[in-house]
Amino acid sequence: MDSVMRRMHGSQSDESVWGGMTLFLNQQVRADDSRMNKVRQHFAQNLSDIIRVGQRSGAGIVLSTVAVNLKECPPFASLHRSGFSESDKAQWEKFYQTGIAAQKDRRFQEAATHFQEAARLDDTFAELRFRQGQCALELGDDAGARNHFVAARDLDTLRFRCDSELNELIRQAATNRESSGVYFADAERAFADNSIAGLPGGELFFEHVHFTPAGNYLLARTLVEQVAHALPQDVAATANTNQLWASAAECERRLSLSEWSRIAGLNSIIATLNDPPFTAQLGHEAQMRQLDAMLGKLSSAMQPAGVRAALKSCEEAIQTSPEDAPLHTQLTALRRAAGDLKGAEAAARRELELLPNDQEGWSQLGSILAQQNNLDEAAVAFKHAFRLGPQGIKSMLNFAGALAGLGKTDAALSEYQRVLTIKPHSVPALSQTGQLVEKMGRKAEAENYFHQALTNRSQRLPELTELGGFFQNRGDFARAVEVFKDAIKLNPSDAKLQLSVGRNLASLARFEDAAVFSAEAARLSPEFVEAHLLHGIVLLRRGQADGAREQFETALRLRPDSMDAKLNLGVTLAQLRRNEEALLLFEEVLKRSPTNATALKYAKMLREGFVTPSTPTNNPATR
């Protein structure tokens, strides 16, 4: 409809943009809300209509229940029951907080007792039921744990997961229908049967509903047996449906699921989890640490040897399935990562032969052509991507950026202006246009674009993080602080955001304020080396050498080869007149970096028995 309206009425001044799950943050609905009855009626009617239309067409139909993460997906939001008095709420809160304290100390029986007392007053608060499930699981009560986790899912007031009643409607719709060509796959039961204690969790799901490779395989195996029953007779007669199905390892080989592609999947999930409502979930910080650790273990896949191995795997998979468009998409990205632009272009064109309306594919082809200075064809590809949908704005920006990179300033500016005509509040377009006109010497005009970018910034975490980084990189530290503080409101437990604010405040010489954020970053993520380094730097700037020493020692313990930690600890020890220890550190640095100016200067002064107080060695805004 958007496409038709654009064609009829021309470009709109401000297209609506899908805001993801954040659109629903203020739309909490209790399980007992009277409106849920209408939702379920509509669901049942829609399901009946789908079956009827499918049967009329002669298609076989497989209905499946919906599996969700029960064990490791806390509720997104919770509300107390209606009519809960303030006095009862105060008593409930006392029991609840006491239970949380006991749970943190791993006194699970005591925590369960306090949670049960709270539940006597109100057992409809979803997070309470989730915590009860956690305690029951730790105490070996698997059945009790399942009851609580299911209740926590059903009571979640941000209703992003399929609940018990909707799954029951699916079961009812599939009951005794095989004779009429309707087959039933119980994914919910299959996932429970293949999970410890019957509780699907992190081994099968990344977050609330998106599957890990193991989860995808289990769902496929659950569905495929029913699909085999639904095959038309002429197909079934020639197919051997009694043979063993492909193993998970064989599927991964056919799909070219390499460590390189796993990184892409993890990055996508991490980007999703950086937005509300995930940022407010119980245990969000621990989940992000776990995903970061998983990325760390796969980091070698991004090195040349890892890219070559993934490329070989992908090429072998394409030999088996030459018309599999997603494999050609992967081949395009891998050849580009390996520096083979001609090969990447060929793969991109083949993918578009197979899937001509793939907007992302046209955008990818445009970027590859632009890298090869083939700007005329790149423009055609980018414009085609834009015509396929409003998200093609990104393609137009990529084209403008390619023109700017090649020094075609006027043409780039014209493309940016075209984007801003279509979407006047696009923050990337405003900031990039500002950067371009600033390079052209039009400072006042550039300042106006930057002001508009700041004024029109969205309240989505990825955009705020990108905008904050943009202002930081151009040395506009005050604006960077403003944007990163907005990002922290969305995800206060993100240590990297806290560190970003601290760095920019330090660059503004606001060391007292910077210390607050660097300390919080170190508290949130005790193994975050950069947080300890920055906190040590701002403490030293404030004259707190002993506190700075502790931070630099912690950083060095966490990362023994850190030159920054050794240099800054050496400077701090020198100020504390612990000259022999300081000299040893500077000599260690000089073994690795014989021309390091700071180490040379301090080592010379220490050997001569003279040290003047100095400042930390690195620039907190740029490291």
Side-chain angles (χ1 to χ4, degrees):
M1 289 178 67
D2 283 344
S3 250
V4 170
M5 289 184 70
R6 279 202 311 276
R7 291 191 185 102
M8 290 174 63
H9 303 295
S11 299
Q12 298 172 351
S13 62
D14 190 10
E15 298 171 14
S16 59
V17 176
W18 168 243
M21 294 168 69
T22 57
L23 290 174
F24 300 94
L25 293 182
N26 296 320
Q27 305 296 329
Q28 294 189 49
V29 180
R30 291 185 178 87
D32 61 358
D33 191 303
S34 60
R35 293 171 295 176
M36 288 301 297
N37 291 328
K38 184 63 70 176
V39 169
R40 292 171 186 127
Q41 289 171 17
H42 287 163
F43 182 88
Q45 185 60 55
N46 289 340
L47 192 54
S48 175
D49 289 344
I50 290 168
I51 293 170
R52 178 171 47 79
V53 171
Q55 288 177 316
R56 185 185 300 162
S57 76
I61 296 166
V62 178
L63 290 185
S64 175
T65 51
V66 182
V68 300
N69 187 344
L70 289 176
K71 185 175 65 176
E72 292 170 21
C73 177
F76 291 105
S78 306
L79 290 173
H80 285 292
R81 61 178 171 82
S82 300
F84 199 39
S85 70
E86 289 301 319
S87 59
D88 282 348
K89 191 180 293 185
Q91 186 69 9
W92 183 96
E93 190 68 28
K94 180 179 178 182
F95 286 128
Y96 186 56
Q97 293 300 330
T98 306
I100 290 174
Q103 185 184 13
K104 285 181 178 178
D105 289 342
R106 300 190 62 79
R107 293 179 279 116
F108 297 111
Q109 186 59 65
E110 183 182 338
T113 301
H114 289 296
F115 289 146
Q116 183 58 35
E117 290 300 319
R120 289 189 216 286
L121 295 168
D122 178 17
D123 65 354
T124 67
F125 197 82
E127 192 171 295
L128 167 66
R129 299 301 296 273
F130 187 82
R131 288 184 180 276
Q132 285 184 289
Q134 289 179 314
C135 291
L137 200 59
E138 292 287 350
L139 295 168
D141 180 7
D142 292 350
R146 178 168 178 78
N147 287 336
H148 286 303
F149 283 126
V150 168
R153 184 267 314 272
D154 291 349
L155 292 166
D156 191 340
T157 55
L158 284 176
R159 313 191 69 79
F160 295 123
R161 291 176 290 173
C162 184
D163 64 26
S164 299
E165 296 204 35
L166 294 182
N167 267 333
E168 185 55 34
L169 289 172
I170 297 170
R171 288 190 176 91
Q172 291 172 13
T175 300
N176 299 323
R177 302 287 292 274
E178 287 192 11
S179 60
S180 60
V182 179
Y183 301 89
F184 179 53
D186 197 344
E188 185 182 43
R189 170 51 53 195
F191 274 63
D193 289 345
N194 285 273
S195 301
I196 297 173
L199 290 165
E203 70 283 1
L204 298 172
F205 293 93
F206 282 116
E207 18 76 323
H208 61 317
V209 294
H210 289 111
F211 301 111
T212 63
N216 272 312
Y217 180 77
L218 176 57
L219 179 62
R221 284 286 284 109
T222 303
L223 293 173
V224 73
E225 292 177 8
Q226 301 306 319
V227 170
H229 293 316
L231 288 173
Q233 288 185 353
D234 58 332
V235 176
T238 60
N240 180 10
T241 56
N242 293 319
Q243 66 183 352
L244 292 176
W245 297 106
S247 67
E250 173 63 11
C251 289
E252 290 183 5
R253 185 189 69 77
R254 293 279 293 269
L255 294 169
S256 184
L257 183 59
S258 61
E259 290 190 349
W260 185 90
S261 55
R262 287 178 193 272
I263 288 176
L266 278 174
N267 280 327
S268 176
I269 290 295
I270 288 170
T272 297
L273 294 178
N274 268 324
D275 267 347
F278 297 101
T279 51
Q281 270 187 305
L282 178 68
H284 176 258
E285 180 193 339
Q287 182 185 25
M288 297 304 289
R289 284 201 301 269
Q290 182 182 20
L291 290 171
D292 282 341
M294 290 170 66
L295 272 181
K297 290 178 181 178
L298 296 171
S299 61
S300 61
M302 303 304 289
Q303 300 302 315
V307 173
R308 286 195 297 272
L311 185 56
K312 180 182 178 183
S313 169
C314 187
E315 288 171 340
E316 290 172 352
I318 286 176
Q319 288 177 5
T320 304
S321 304
E323 295 190 356
D324 187 331
L327 284 177
H328 289 279
T329 301
Q330 189 176 159
L331 181 63
T332 301
L334 282 164
R335 285 180 174 172
R336 193 176 181 185
D340 178 11
L341 293 180
K342 283 295 183 185
E345 179 188 341
R349 291 189 184 279
R350 176 57 180 150
E351 188 266 345
L352 288 169
E353 288 176 7
L354 296 167
L355 210 61
N357 289 325
D358 179 19
Q359 183 183 75
E360 194 60 40
W362 283 105
S363 183
Q364 178 87 302
L365 175 60
S367 296
I368 293 166
L369 290 167
Q371 274 187 274
Q372 299 176 84
N373 295 338
N374 188 349
L375 294 178
D376 289 338
E377 286 194 63
V380 172
F382 283 133
K383 288 171 184 176
H384 196 82
F386 174 70
R387 282 195 295 270
L388 288 169
Q391 296 305 318
I393 286 286
K394 180 181 176 184
S395 300
M396 296 181 72
L397 285 174
N398 286 341
F399 182 50
L403 289 169
L406 292 169
K408 298 181 180 293
T409 308
D410 291 336
L413 186 57
S414 177
E415 289 298 320
Y416 281 130
Q417 296 292 356
R418 185 179 303 179
V419 173
L420 289 170
T421 300
I422 297 166
K423 195 172 181 63
H425 302 311
S426 166
V427 171
L430 288 166
S431 57
Q432 290 175 40
T433 307
Q435 206 166 18
L436 181 62
V437 298
E438 187 177 50
K439 288 179 180 177
M440 297 167 71
R442 291 147 61 172
K443 302 291 185 183
E445 188 179 348
E447 183 59 30
N448 180 51
Y449 282 115
F450 295 144
H451 176 74
Q452 288 185 61
L454 191 67
T455 303
N456 291 294
R457 65 185 183 274
S458 74
Q459 290 303 304
R460 296 193 70 233
L461 204 54
E463 284 85 349
L464 287 172
T465 303
E466 182 180 346
L467 184 61
F470 168 77
F471 283 128
Q472 175 178 300
N473 290 338
R474 65 183 302 272
D476 196 340
F477 305 122
R479 279 180 172 148
V481 167
E482 185 178 344
V483 175
F484 280 127
K485 281 185 174 180
D486 268 7
I488 284 175
K489 291 175 186 175
L490 296 176
N491 188 9
S493 63
D494 189 325
K496 291 179 181 178
L497 291 176
Q498 299 281 351
L499 184 68
S500 293
V501 176
R503 279 177 167 164
N504 285 282
L505 287 168
S507 295
L508 293 167
R510 292 169 55 184
F511 299 117
E512 184 175 353
D513 294 334
V516 173
F517 288 92
S518 59
E520 181 64 5
R523 185 192 70 80
L524 288 168
S525 185
E527 296 186 0
F528 191 7
V529 172
E530 286 73 15
H532 292 289
L533 282 171
L534 179 65
H535 195 46
I537 288 167
V538 295
L539 289 177
L540 197 57
R541 295 276 191 175
R542 298 180 65 203
Q544 300 174 23
D546 281 322
R549 174 187 54 77
E550 292 176 4
Q551 295 299 314
F552 296 138
E553 286 176 345
T554 300
L556 195 56
R557 175 177 55 79
L558 293 169
R559 190 181 295 164
D561 61 345
S562 170
M563 293 296 101
D564 282 338
K566 289 180 180 180
L567 281 169
N568 282 302
L569 180 57
V571 170
T572 306
L573 291 173
Q575 289 193 27
L576 292 169
R577 298 296 186 261
R578 293 167 57 172
N579 294 353
E580 291 182 5
E581 297 170 74
L583 182 57
L584 286 174
L585 286 167
F586 292 127
E587 287 174 342
E588 284 184 38
V589 172
L590 291 170
K591 287 178 184 176
R592 289 266 305 275
S593 179
T595 59
N596 185 288
T598 302
L600 285 169
K601 179 182 75 171
Y602 270 88
K604 181 176 184 296
M605 289 190 295
L606 287 167
R607 289 177 186 129
E608 293 172 356
F610 175 74
V611 173
T612 56
S614 186
T615 55
T617 63
N618 66 340
N619 183 343
T622 58
R623 298 190 65 87

